């Protein structure tokens, strides 16, 4: 039987690292935090890292990869991996990597993502092919925009061109999508699917706390107009949420379908933590505009478990801890390869 003492859990010091490392320690693993110089304070202060490895920039991950391999470290991907290392480079990671690498390519490419969700019969906001087609409120999203920064809304082709002016000619702003704007409340569902138990769990929900979208309602409409405020969606934090219980059956089924469909698109399919991100409208339609095929930061409020994990586990169970348990079960069953991608 494999022994978890022979392995270490490592991740980049940002996004969900506190939760991942704490969860790994709770399961009995030694932990490594890869930190950018000068940004190690939280990981020291909260005592979640047994060891800190320093890089000048997360982009230098590959410079320390050999060392991680020597330490028998299992790397846990999160939002900062894709943001700083790049979805294209993640598949080239040679160190042990938790989760299906191939699926990250599907979640980071909007067209592929749509194909996957379509196949899983997930409702999504309509996509408009060109600015000329704008006949309703739409949201314009730039590819790879970090955390919704720079998105804008428009109601007509004229408004689109007016607002697009500031982005004209900027190389990273040529690639965008025009999506129907859904009026409703944002709901992000955190799932976990284990190949060992063969079960899909709902770990919790959150809504994002976005600047300035979440502050605009604090001033009168007249002031919004006078101040010429444009809505932006820069992510600053996450707010915990429980949802109407009668919606749960549908949300479980959506998760099942996403797992099932993922098997068609990559070998082995999706497993571990993932998240469906969308808006619930007044008719209770849940429109999904994004899937994250890895741990999301919306799980951070639940370091000590969520109302949903308390129903299932008689101990604190964060998503970080849940994935460490998945790895532990794999090691102890001598089937580690099953959870590596
Ligand atoms: P960071 O390490 O904070 O720069 O985040 C890396 C990536 O994860 C960025 O693309 C962020 O937009 C995203 N991200 C960070 N924190 C959150 C959060 N609390 N909720 C959603 N996305 C986040
Ligand atoms: P994203 O980067 O796709 O996660 O979107 C960032 C934020 O923009 C979301 O958290 C929502 O607040 C908002 N948003 C994105 N797409 C839509 C949509 N189709 N309808 C309404 N709001 C949206």
């Amino acid at each position: 039987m494999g022994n978890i003492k022979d392995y270490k859990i490592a991740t980049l010091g940002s996004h969900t690292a506190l939760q991942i490392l704490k969860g790994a320690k709770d399961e009995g693993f030694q932990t490594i935090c890869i930190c950018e110089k000068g940004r190690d304070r939280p990981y020291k202060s909260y005592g979640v890292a047994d060891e800190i490895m320093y890089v000048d920039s997360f982009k230098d991950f590959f410079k320390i990869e050999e060392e991680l391999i020597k330490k028998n470290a299992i790397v846990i991907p999160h939002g900062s991996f894709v943001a700083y290392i790049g979805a294209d480079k993640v598949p080239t990671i040679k160190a042990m990597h938790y989760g299906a690498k191939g699926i990250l390519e599907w979640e980071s490419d909007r067209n592929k993502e749509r194909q996957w969700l379509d196949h899983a019969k997930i409702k999504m906001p309509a996509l408009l092919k060109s600015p000329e087609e704008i006949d309703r409120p739409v949201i314009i999203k730039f590819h790879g925009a970090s955390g919704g920064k720079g998105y804008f809304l428009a109601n007509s082709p004229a408004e689109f061109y007016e607002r697009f002016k500031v982005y004209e000619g900027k190389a990273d702003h040529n690639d965008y999508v025009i999506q129907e704007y859904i009026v409703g409340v944002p709901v992000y569902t955190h799932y976990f699917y284990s190949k060992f138990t063969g079960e899909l769990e709902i770990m919790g929900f959150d809504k994002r706390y976005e600047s300035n979208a979440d502050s605009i309602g604090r001033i009168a409409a007249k002031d919004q107009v006078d101040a010429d405020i444009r809505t932006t969606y820069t992510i600053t934090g996450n707010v915990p949420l429980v949802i109407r219980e009668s919606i749960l059956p549908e949300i479980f089924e959506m998760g099942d379908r996403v797992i099932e469909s993922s098997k068609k698109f990559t070998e082995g399919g999706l497993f571990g933590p993932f998240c469906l991100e969308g808006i619930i409208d007044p008719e209770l339609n849940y429109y999904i505009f994004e899937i994250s095929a890895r741990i999301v930061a919306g799980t951070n409020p639940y370091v000590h478990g969520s109302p949903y994990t308390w129903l299932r586990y008689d101990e604190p169970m964060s998503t970080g801890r849940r994935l460490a348990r998945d790895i532990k079960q794999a090691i102890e069953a001598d089937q580690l390869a099953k959870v590596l991608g």
Side-chain angles (χ1 to χ4, degrees):
M1 186 172 101
N3 187 339
I4 65 164
K5 299 277 174 254
D6 296 333
Y7 298 88
K8 289 179 177 178
I9 298 288
T11 199
L12 300 182
S14 194
H15 196 264
T16 37
L18 288 169
Q19 184 202 146
I20 290 170
L21 300 175
K22 161 87 168 107
K25 280 180 83 72
D26 287 345
E27 289 298 302
F29 284 98
Q30 288 280 106
T31 59
I32 302 172
C33 189
I34 302 153
C35 284
E36 287 186 342
K37 285 176 189 144
R39 301 178 55 89
D40 54 0
R41 181 129 178 223
Y43 309 98
K44 285 183 171 160
S45 172
Y46 295 112
V48 295
D50 293 308
E51 196 181 323
I52 294 185
M53 287 170 76
Y54 291 94
V55 287
D56 287 326
S57 148
F58 287 140
K59 286 194 173 52
D60 296 334
F61 171 82
F62 291 100
K63 290 189 184 163
I64 56 151
E65 193 179 19
E66 267 314 309
E67 223 176 310
L68 287 170
I69 294 171
K70 276 193 204 125
K71 292 179 194 284
N72 226 17
I74 301 170
V75 174
I76 314 294
H78 55 52
S80 306
F81 273 77
V82 178
Y84 301 112
I85 297 180
D88 52 329
K89 298 227 177 58
V90 171
T92 69
I93 293 177
K94 285 193 222 51
M96 288 183 279
H97 170 282
Y98 176 74
K101 273 185 209 158
I103 210 78
L104 286 174
E105 193 191 322
W106 282 83
E107 68 134 64
S108 60
D109 179 320
R110 284 191 201 278
N111 298 325
K112 287 187 163 182
E113 175 181 73
R114 214 172 162 90
Q115 204 181 325
W116 174 13
L117 294 179
D118 250 340
H119 186 267
K121 300 200 164 35
I122 299 294
K123 220 174 271 160
M124 285 176 282
L127 263 194
L128 277 64
K129 288 198 185 63
S130 78
E132 272 65 38
E133 286 180 17
I134 301 176
D135 57 355
R136 61 192 114 171
V138 294
I139 179 165
I140 288 80
K141 302 181 174 188
F142 295 103
H143 188 69
S146 55
K149 200 163 184 249
Y151 289 179
F152 67 92
L153 306 183
N155 269 304
S156 63
E159 199 175 351
F160 172 90
Y161 288 116
E162 177 58 32
R163 294 198 172 166
F164 193 71
K165 269 186 198 156
V166 288
Y167 301 109
E168 210 84 61
K170 292 192 179 150
D172 54 341
H173 286 89
N174 287 330
D175 190 6
Y176 58 82
V177 292
I178 306 174
Q179 211 176 68
E180 171 187 18
Y181 188 83
I182 309 291
V183 181
V185 289
V187 173
Y188 292 68
T189 304
H190 320 143
Y191 295 96
F192 191 91
Y193 174 67
S194 167
K195 282 192 176 174
F196 286 92
T197 62
E199 244 189 277
L200 176 74
E201 301 168 40
I202 291 178
M203 305 298 288
F205 299 90
D206 78 292
K207 66 172 198 160
R208 291 182 172 183
Y209 199 44
E210 295 163 336
S211 198
N212 58 19
D214 286 310
S215 63
I216 254 162
R218 291 158 56 103
I219 57 172
K222 184 179 177 308
D223 296 327
Q224 295 173 21
V225 174
D226 288 350
D228 196 21
I229 295 174
R230 296 268 178 269
T231 319
T232 52
Y233 297 87
T234 307
I235 182 76
T236 60
N238 304 79
V239 184
L241 190 75
V242 287
I243 62 148
R244 211 168 137 169
E245 197 159 311
S246 56
I247 314 176
L248 279 178
E250 185 195 342
I251 292 186
F252 270 108
E253 284 161 20
M254 287 166 68
D256 285 340
R257 295 202 301 272
V258 166
I259 298 281
E260 202 40 52
S261 286
S262 72
K263 292 179 189 152
K264 182 176 149 62
F265 300 114
T266 62
E267 214 183 304
L270 173 68
F271 63 89
F274 67 103
C275 177
L276 288 181
E277 314 178 350
I279 308 268
I280 300 187
D281 77 4
E283 277 72 48
L284 297 181
N285 294 304
Y286 191 9
Y287 287 94
I288 300 300
F289 48 72
E290 186 133 13
I291 179 166
S292 291
R294 45 154 178 88
I295 188 168
V296 292
T299 60
N300 282 340
Y302 306 122
V303 171
H304 205 68
S306 78
Y308 298 93
T309 64
W310 269 115
L311 294 166
R312 196 185 163 97
Y313 297 95
D314 290 323
E315 60 192 326
M317 187 55 68
S318 67
T319 295
R321 183 169 184 180
R322 183 66 190 84
L323 71 81
R325 184 160 295 183
D326 211 35
I327 296 171
K328 185 172 164 177
Q329 283 173 340
I331 291 171
E332 291 180 348
D334 291 319
Q335 293 181 21
L336 182 56
K338 210 169 169 175
V339 298
L340 302 180

